[in-house]
């Protein structure tokens, strides 16, 4: 493809605007290009890296689920089937940009520099998993639904105020669009023209609650109208469409034109968390339908057709990933825990009263030991 | 009589009240098809239909706020907050409307609503899933706050809460959901709100607790017994209104007082209980009334929660200190 | 006009839909009909009554402000300039319909059966002013902005559930559209197709904060898109346009088609409350501009042209209103207050502890008296 | 030195901190052009520009939530809640993020934020404008809570709050906004957070109070003096952390304790203070530590608020009862 044939990114936000009723799709379910004019300019290496990142994320995700099943880790929210979204964001996001996650963006966290050890620590019950020392400008998971979105708007304001060109990427689920904080964050960002790319991972469910009952709005992208900002609906299982949309949104934000709302239409192929049983609320037929739209399968289809990928690479690569990931898991399992950490991080200086609580508890521990 | 755990007991109470009164609605996040993330509402939607037991959009202020409207219009909503850590988006509705409507309209509109929520820790959960912040509700005029410690109590208290014309915050110790089984009578019965229960009579010290910690106190009592200490144990059941009389009578007898609660210490329920003891039994006190409360910290994640949660040993240690005072 | 010439009400919601960019206006600023095809079918008596209701509300409002200035009543939020909205709602609202107000809808409260005495009681510092015994199915004022909207959605659900045909009218300000509760209420109502007419009184300001900075959305009506419900922008100072819109919305809701969002474009001609000084944040020129669009002036212009109104009626009528209103104010000033009322209404039965507080306080009062 | 009321003192503190540190931002509802509904931020927008002092859309969760983001990104937001009765929509942000960010990230991200809000009653206000719910914040681990009782304190404490790397809930007794004038030093000075101030030394009883009630206690002390009662008065200044040491030392001397606070009684700050006294000075007590708190009711509207708010007579009455105990 020649670059002159590809249309401008900002025009994309118009053509596929929230009221257009269109969903941006570049690859069909087999990975064939159906909208060549919108193909993002990516080098072969970038394409291959993207696929490998998706593969890594999927491998890690599946291992996390299995560690949990083995009782070696606690509740975990699988990312299975949604990998294209985080990897696409990761490919556009710069080192100094901010990432404000919800809790189901494994692939985006990795792109920002979080390690699997960090992630295992978090889901292994260590607060240390929220430090994320290797991830510049990234916040830890936000569990209270949609509460992270105002943070993103505020960081966006700060970037503008500080005269920086960095932008903010933030995530929320389809369910999260119903929360008041979604509304307030988008409205503030709209008024401030803050450089924030809001990404809804519409994976069709909020636990058991289907998208159709979450809101009577025609799409989630259309909610952008209420805040006077561009909104666009994208096939979130189509890596190339996601890259095109995220690039356009990032360009818009970085150019000082304000926030963009992206609805990435995807499917949570796994359970809500390892405690959940999707069999209670959805059919196998539906799961099957979406398996056929799997993002890895589609990007691989494309890469194979372009002769950028050799199927025989895959097994060895996965084995290598598994080894790396398991290594990180072992590090997590050997991570130390000091009970004093419970007390000393709430304030810059521990209040006397709290210190007394720590001391009293230590006294008890000593007494207990003396009893044995 | 059936043997039930607390999940089943709560389900049974909801079932009975839905059957009895067409004004009762049950709604929240995932309470319908899913039957609740803890399966507390399992089967109720099939039985009572989607207009009586249903899922809402994901928004707690919306859930509580719409329930206020329903209550005003004559219904009796029983809503679920999926975890007590997620009730805060609804805080404005609770404090500004649920708790006040009756007073501000001088009784014209009462709010016969129950807000159920699993609370408390020691289930190795992720952030925001282990809190015990009942003191926040206890401090708000106009609410009742109820916490059961057994399946039997859960059923009887929840029926009473649903029948109450006042709004009730009903906090379920999720750690106990499946941990205790007990015979629970069939059909409807109630346990009065605002009354504590003396679970064990004793001589040397009064211990007041509620929720999941009652069991831990009972274990501590076995340790105490071995050293000859006899404990009077009171299960508060209602955290507001507090049954001052039962507490006072006991402390007047034992002369010693310990509260065992899970939430943060400062301005917590333990502080209130100590104050009550001071006010009503000061002259009987042989040792300072004492609180064993949670630390003034966020509950630690799974790796640290055994430090945060009072073990029988810790409770015994405090009892011993007090009796030896 | 012949009824055959007027278009259907539901079509109105389409033609003036949120995305149309149009504002419904039937009367110009002088009260001349500029959109005859949308003229609501009202009898001459109905027109005259409407004008009189507006006049009554305005008179009462101005007297409230002056009682406050005299130090005989506390802070009060004037309704000046917004009377057409409440009166229009009042003319469509049935006895069994519900009214869920904010705090600036004097004209609507009166239509629902609230007395000026009730209102004076409320702003005179008596809780008894929230009882509103004469107003069937009306909630008292809601001060926490937008918090009343979920109540309206819930009542709407209850009406449906109980198989009633009654609908709900609820009010919010332009500022209130930024609150999370606005979002959640409209979304719930949309999902439930609850029979609720949401009326935004866009009076251009939230205290000092202008509408333009409240949201980047093109209109407030457009926010309806985000909830999949009809939205319509109406000239809120045009009584006839308001009636047309409210009728259409009510018909929609009553027919089981769900909620409607009406943005009534108006202007708060008075201060935010009697404690506010609008001179700090807006110009006299602007105030003048809106004075020319005053709703009473416009409806009177229409009535005069139709020879339905005799200017000489007005003075005596206002005098009569003043007498009535002053009478109600005097009743308020003589209203008794019992300190026990502070304690006994929170619960169906007063808790022991609270009773002890009451008793202790009474003891103190007796002691104090004994000291004199 | 200038003679200032509390509005001016708070304004002065904001002015100084805005001038000193480009990271400080002031925002909220009507704080810009309007200068705040109480005129606390008057003139600051003109002086520091619309990007540093500005109005937001009307949404408290948005205000606090965006401030969290700004704080994380290195700024020092000082936000205003127009009245403390309207902070509840922001409650989730406060408890789930403001209070926790530092702990959960083990210090990587601190939240140097101040949330200012006028609170308290006796100004004949409408509903939701008279509450004194500081105990809710005191109970939340991770927050500091500060309440000044004079213009001088307001300035020194607010400067310290803005300089604190921890989040501070700064509650301003609106009843005092224009009621007291005092000499306040020019320029920057701080009063340490977490320290109480002994306003008067005395022998017979320790009274702890804060905010608008300090003045009322002082009036009550005149009444007490006439009957020969000498009161030691402590102004708490910081409600969290509480200066236990100052309180304890005093009660060890006087043997009697009364707290005088405005908010609801149950699980309020008074209960915490009584508990502290029990824990640290039990053996010195000659009478039950006692709390004079607000009723467990919504504060009544204007017609009734003189019943709710403690008069000097009521305070004296409680002092007298305790001294005569
Ligand atoms: C405020 C709040 N309410 C409830 C929950 C419990 N909860 C956790 S995830 C979830 C569903 C979220 O659905 P969605 O936003 O679609 O994200 P997804 O899990 O599908 O990625 C719920 C209800 C929560 N974490 N926070
Ligand atoms: C939750 C909440 N925040 C702040 C306030 C203070 N306040 C009272 S009225 C008002 C402005 C409301 O503006 P708008 O919604 O446009 O209604 P209007 O007063 O113009 O009718 C504000 C900020 C409040 N009452 N409630
Ligand atoms: Mg989802
Ligand atoms: Mg307005």
């Amino acid at each position: 493809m020649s670059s002159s044939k590809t249309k401008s990114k900002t025009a994309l936000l118009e053509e596929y605007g929230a009221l257009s009723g269109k969903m941006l799709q570049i690859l069909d379910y087999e990975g064939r290009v159906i909208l060549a004019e919108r193909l993002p300019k990516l080098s072969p290496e970038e394409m291959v890296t993207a696929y490998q990142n998706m593969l890594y994320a999927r491998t890690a995700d599946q291992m996390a689920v299995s560690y949990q099943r083995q009782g070696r880790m606690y509740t975990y929210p699988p990312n299975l089937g949604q990998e294209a979204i985080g990897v696409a964001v990761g490919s556009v996001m710069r080192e100094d940009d901010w990432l404000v996650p919800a809790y189901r963006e494994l692939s985006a966290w990795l792109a920002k520099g979080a390690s699997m050890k960090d992630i295992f620590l978090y889901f292994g019950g260590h607060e240390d998993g929220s430090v994320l020392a290797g991830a510049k400008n990234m916040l830890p998971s936000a569990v209270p639904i949609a509460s992270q979105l105002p943070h993103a708007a505020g960081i966006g304001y700060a970037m503008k105020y500080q005269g920086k060109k960095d932008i903010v990427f933030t995530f929320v689920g389809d369910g999260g669009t119903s929360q008041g904080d979604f509304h307030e964050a988008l409205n503030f960002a709209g008024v401030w023209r803050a450089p924030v790319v809001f990404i809804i991972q519409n994976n069709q469910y909020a636990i058991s609650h289907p998208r159709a009952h979450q809101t009577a709005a025609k799409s989630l992208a259309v909610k952008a109208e209420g805040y006077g900002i561009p909104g666009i609906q994208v096939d979130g299982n189509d890596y190339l469409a996601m890259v095109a949309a995220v690039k356009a949104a990032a360009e818009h934000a970085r150019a000082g034109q304000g926030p963009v709302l992206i609805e990435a239409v995807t499917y949570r192929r796994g359970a809500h968390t390892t405690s959940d049983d999707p069999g209670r609320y959805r059919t196998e037929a539906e799961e099957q339908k979406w398996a056929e739209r799997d993002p890895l399968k589609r990007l691989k289809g494309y890469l194979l057709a372009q002769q950028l990928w050799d199927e025989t690479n895959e097994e060895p690569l996965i084995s290598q990933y598994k080894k790396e990931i398991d290594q990180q898991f072992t590090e997590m399992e050997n991570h130390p825990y000091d009970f004093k950490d419970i007390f000393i991080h709430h304030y810059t200086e521990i209040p006397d009263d709290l210190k007394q609580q720590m001391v009293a508890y230590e006294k008890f521990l000593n007494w207990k030991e003396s009893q044995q | 009589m059936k043997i039930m755990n607390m999940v089943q007991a709560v389900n049974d109470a909801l079932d009975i009240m839905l059957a009895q009164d067409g004004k009762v609605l049950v709604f929240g996040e995932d309470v319908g098809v899913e039957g609740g993330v803890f399966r507390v509402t399992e089967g109720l939607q099939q039985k009572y239909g989607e207009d009586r037991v249903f899922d809402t959009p994901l928004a707690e202020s919306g859930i509580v706020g719409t329930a206020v409207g329903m209550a005003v219009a004559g219904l009796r909503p029983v809503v679920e907050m999926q975890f007590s850590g997620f009730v805060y988006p609804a805080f404005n509705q609770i404090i500004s409307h649920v708790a006040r409507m009756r007073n501000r309209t001088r009784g014209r509109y009462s709010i016969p609503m129950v807000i159920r929520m699993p609370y408390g820790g020691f289930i190795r959960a992720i952030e925001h899933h282990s809190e015990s912040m009942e003191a926040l509700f206890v401090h708000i005029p106009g609410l009742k706050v109820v916490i059961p410690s057994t399946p039997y109590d859960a059923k009887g208290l929840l029926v009473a809460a649903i029948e109450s014309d006042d709004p009730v915050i009903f906090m379920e110790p999720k750690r106990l959901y499946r941990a205790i089984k007990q015979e629970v009578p069939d059909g409807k019965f109630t346990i009065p709100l605002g009354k504590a229960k003396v679970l064990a009579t004793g001589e040397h010290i009064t211990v007041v607790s509620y929720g999941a910690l009652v069991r831990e106190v009972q274990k501590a009592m076995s340790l105490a017994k071995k050293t000859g200490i006899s404990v009077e144990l009171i299960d508060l059941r209602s955290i507001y209104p507090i049954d001052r009389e039962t507490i006072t009578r006991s402390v007047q007898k034992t002369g010693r007082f310990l509260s065992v609660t899970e939430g943060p210490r400062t301005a917590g329920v333990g502080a209130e209980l100590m104050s009550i003891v001071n006010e009503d039994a000061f002259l009987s006190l042989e040792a300072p009334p004492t609180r064993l409360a949670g630390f003034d910290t966020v509950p630690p994640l799974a790796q640290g929660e055994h430090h945060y949660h009072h073990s029988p040993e810790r409770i015994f240690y405090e009892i011993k200190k007090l009796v030896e005072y």
Side-chain angles (χ1 to χ4, degrees), chain A, chain B:
Chain A
M1 81 203 127
S2 91
S3 74
S4 67
K5 261 166 59 201
T6 61
K7 292 197 193 161
S8 103
K9 283 174 209 117
T10 318
L12 181 80
L13 297 180
E14 272 162 35
E15 190 181 332
Y16 286 84
L19 299 176
S20 70
K22 293 198 278 189
M23 176 172 79
L24 179 68
Q25 211 171 32
I26 292 176
L27 294 178
D28 73 5
Y29 301 148
E30 306 308 322
R32 289 177 297 240
V33 174
I34 54 173
L35 191 70
E37 62 187 25
R38 290 292 180 193
L39 259 182
K41 278 178 279 177
L42 295 175
S43 68
E45 294 72 41
E46 286 172 319
M47 300 266 197
V48 170
T49 303
Y51 181 69
Q52 290 179 341
N53 288 342
M54 281 162 68
L55 205 58
Y56 185 92
R58 176 159 297 185
T59 309
D61 189 72
Q62 287 173 329
M63 287 175 75
V65 171
S66 95
Y67 292 129
Q68 193 282 335
R69 293 237 173 86
Q70 295 162 32
R72 297 165 72 193
M73 206 181 77
Y74 306 111
T75 310
Y76 171 79
N79 191 28
L80 184 69
Q82 306 183 208
E83 297 89 347
I85 301 165
V87 173
V89 168
S91 79
V92 177
M93 184 165 51
R94 301 184 186 162
E95 196 193 343
D96 286 342
D97 287 341
W98 283 82
L99 176 62
V100 181
Y103 50 83
R104 200 189 297 285
E105 304 84 26
L106 177 59
S107 43
W109 307 342
L110 291 169
K112 198 81 189 87
S115 69
M116 278 313 299
K117 179 182 170 190
D118 293 331
I119 292 155
F120 289 139
L121 279 170
Y122 185 73
F123 293 108
H126 283 275
E127 280 81 358
D128 287 352
S130 287
V131 180
L132 300 160
K136 189 165 182 196
N137 294 344
M138 172 178 166
L139 284 184
S141 269
V143 173
I145 301 294
S147 63
Q148 69 279 11
L149 302 178
H151 309 168
I155 296 173
Y157 186 92
M159 294 305 105
K160 258 186 107 160
Y161 174 73
Q162 294 165 334
K164 296 185 178 167
K165 276 282 162 227
D166 313 322
I167 67 174
V168 188
F169 295 89
T170 188
F171 285 89
V172 69
D174 45 316
T177 63
S178 294
Q179 286 282 9
D181 271 356
F182 172 88
H183 179 69
E184 300 188 13
L186 270 82
N187 194 47
F188 275 60
V191 168
W192 290 341
R193 293 173 80 87
V196 184
V197 180
F198 293 94
I199 300 131
I200 303 170
Q201 296 205 75
N202 173 6
N203 63 6
Q204 310 306 326
Y205 287 92
I207 309 187
S208 69
H209 201 56
R211 150 65 186 91
H213 297 167
Q214 194 62 246
T215 176
K218 290 195 199 78
S219 72
L220 301 178
V222 84
K223 290 179 186 279
E225 282 301 301
Y227 314 106
I229 67 173
I232 179 171
Q233 195 185 48
V234 191
D235 182 337
N237 286 6
D238 174 350
Y239 177 74
L240 297 178
M242 275 308 300
V243 169
V246 175
K247 277 196 169 174
E251 200 159 283
H252 182 92
R254 223 181 287 279
Q257 298 183 299
V260 176
L261 178 65
I262 296 177
E263 176 189 357
V265 178
T266 183
Y267 192 75
R268 160 164 64 67
R269 291 190 54 201
H272 170 68
T273 67
T274 44
S275 322
D276 174 49
D277 169 15
R280 295 179 74 91
Y281 53 81
R282 65 190 196 189
T283 63
E284 268 182 43
E286 181 185 291
E287 290 180 2
Q288 193 45 45
K289 183 181 88 179
W290 282 94
E292 283 156 24
R293 301 176 186 179
D294 184 79
L296 272 77
K297 176 192 142 206
R298 286 163 72 180
L299 184 58
K300 181 152 76 175
Y302 176 77
L303 293 179
L304 289 172
Q306 305 282 315
Q307 294 179 320
L308 292 171
W309 189 248
D310 177 350
E311 187 74 66
T312 61
N313 289 341
E314 199 143 323
E315 274 308 315
L317 203 58
I318 291 176
S319 302
Q320 179 203 321
Y321 290 165
K322 281 193 172 160
K323 232 181 256 154
E324 277 174 45
I325 293 162
D326 196 60
Q327 167 66 26
Q328 306 238 345
F329 190 79
T330 308
E331 281 182 35
M332 180 280 272
E333 284 190 315
N334 295 323
H335 193 76
Y337 191 93
D338 179 355
F339 83 87
K340 288 192 177 148
D341 276 334
I342 295 171
F343 298 90
I344 61 176
H345 296 290
H346 285 75
Y347 298 91
T348 44
E349 210 183 309
I350 185 170
D352 284 349
D353 196 50
L354 187 52
K355 192 188 279 166
Q356 282 175 32
Q357 294 173 30
M358 182 169 80
V359 168
Y361 181 67
E362 199 170 14
K363 236 171 158 175
F364 157 71
L365 286 180
N366 293 339
W367 170 84
K368 194 175 148 192
E369 225 183 271
S370 76
Q371 299 295 297
Q372 266 134 32
Chain B
M1 294 252 235
K2 275 200 217 83
I3 302 285
M4 287 186 184
N5 63 26
M6 197 181 282
V7 166
Q8 294 163 321
V10 173
N11 183 280
D12 194 27
L14 293 172
D15 195 348
I16 288 167
M17 295 310 289
L18 280 160
Q20 173 188 307
D21 186 352
K23 295 196 179 103
V24 173
L25 303 181
V26 169
F27 61 98
E29 293 157 9
D30 305 292
V31 301
V33 179
E34 170 94 342
V37 292
F38 287 104
R39 306 290 177 258
V40 170
T41 54
E42 177 138 40
L44 298 177
Q45 183 175 71
Q46 284 112 294
K47 208 160 161 186
Y48 299 99
E50 290 188 21
D51 58 340
R52 297 197 60 200
V53 178
F54 55 93
D55 295 330
T56 64
L58 206 177
E60 288 76 9
S61 186
I63 293 169
V64 174
T66 57
V68 168
M70 294 180 201
V72 158
L75 303 178
R76 304 184 83 84
V78 181
V79 302
E80 177 175 302
M81 302 282 101
Q82 202 160 81
F83 287 85
S84 69
F86 306 132
V87 67
Y88 306 116
F91 212 75
N92 189 38
Q93 286 294 338
I94 292 173
I95 192 169
S96 302
H97 292 295
V98 174
R100 287 174 182 234
M101 190 63 85
R102 190 174 198 289
N103 178 62
R104 59 199 296 263
T105 64
R106 310 270 95 156
R108 179 175 181 189
Y109 295 118
S110 57
I111 304 289
M113 181 196 301
V114 179
I115 307 180
R116 292 181 40 246
M117 55 184 104
Y119 87 100
F122 230 169
I123 62 154
R124 302 181 165 270
I126 207 171
E127 291 178 284
H128 307 281
H129 287 69
S130 301
E131 283 71 4
S132 181
M133 297 297 279
E134 63 279 11
L136 298 178
F137 300 109
V138 167
H139 188 59
I140 298 175
L143 302 175
K144 291 181 175 173
V145 182
V146 173
I147 300 183
S149 68
T150 65
Y152 176 86
D153 282 15
K155 179 170 173 184
L157 288 167
L158 182 54
V159 170
I162 298 174
E163 289 197 326
S164 166
D165 279 336
D166 297 317
V168 179
I169 307 290
F170 194 87
M171 300 174 77
E172 298 164 10
K174 64 176 100 72
R175 175 180 173 185
L176 295 186
Y177 264 154
R178 295 173 187 279
I180 314 179
K181 292 197 174 194
Q182 190 185 27
E183 285 205 333
V184 177
D186 297 334
K188 188 174 152 185
F189 68 93
T190 58
I191 296 174
L193 307 186
K195 297 279 167 231
K197 182 170 187 196
V198 180
L199 288 185
T201 53
E203 279 167 59
H204 303 122
I205 181 170
T206 300
V207 177
V208 174
S209 190
Y210 51 86
L213 286 172
V214 169
R215 247 186 10 152
E216 307 310 305
V217 176
Q218 285 166 327
K219 291 178 202 157
M221 284 165 69
S222 313
L223 301 177
K225 204 169 175 188
K226 288 186 201 143
T227 65
I229 299 172
S230 140
V231 174
E232 179 138 320
L233 172 59
I234 297 173
D235 179 354
L236 215 44
R237 282 180 166 173
S238 286
I239 325 303
Y240 191 87
I242 295 182
D243 183 351
R244 296 176 77 106
E245 209 186 310
T246 299
I247 298 168
T248 304
R249 211 180 309 119
S250 175
V251 178
Q252 280 166 345
K253 180 176 75 176
T254 63
R256 290 180 158 81
F257 173 84
L258 176 70
S259 66
V260 180
T261 60
E262 191 172 331
R265 176 183 179 94
T266 298
V269 175
E272 179 57 30
L273 292 168
M274 282 171 78
S275 301
I276 288 174
V277 167
N278 264 292
E279 283 160 352
D280 294 356
F282 180 72
L283 293 177
S284 313
L285 288 171
E286 287 163 40
T290 298
R291 51 182 166 174
L292 176 59
F295 307 133
D296 281 322
T297 69
V298 172
L301 295 184
Q303 295 295 338
E305 64 178 354
H306 62 288
H307 294 297
Y308 187 89
H309 287 282
H310 312 314
S311 59
E313 291 76 24
R314 179 74 202 264
I315 298 166
F316 168 63
Y317 169 79
E318 296 295 337
I319 289 174
K320 194 164 117 47
K321 273 203 301 188
L322 269 177
V323 173
E324 289 169 0
Y325 184 85

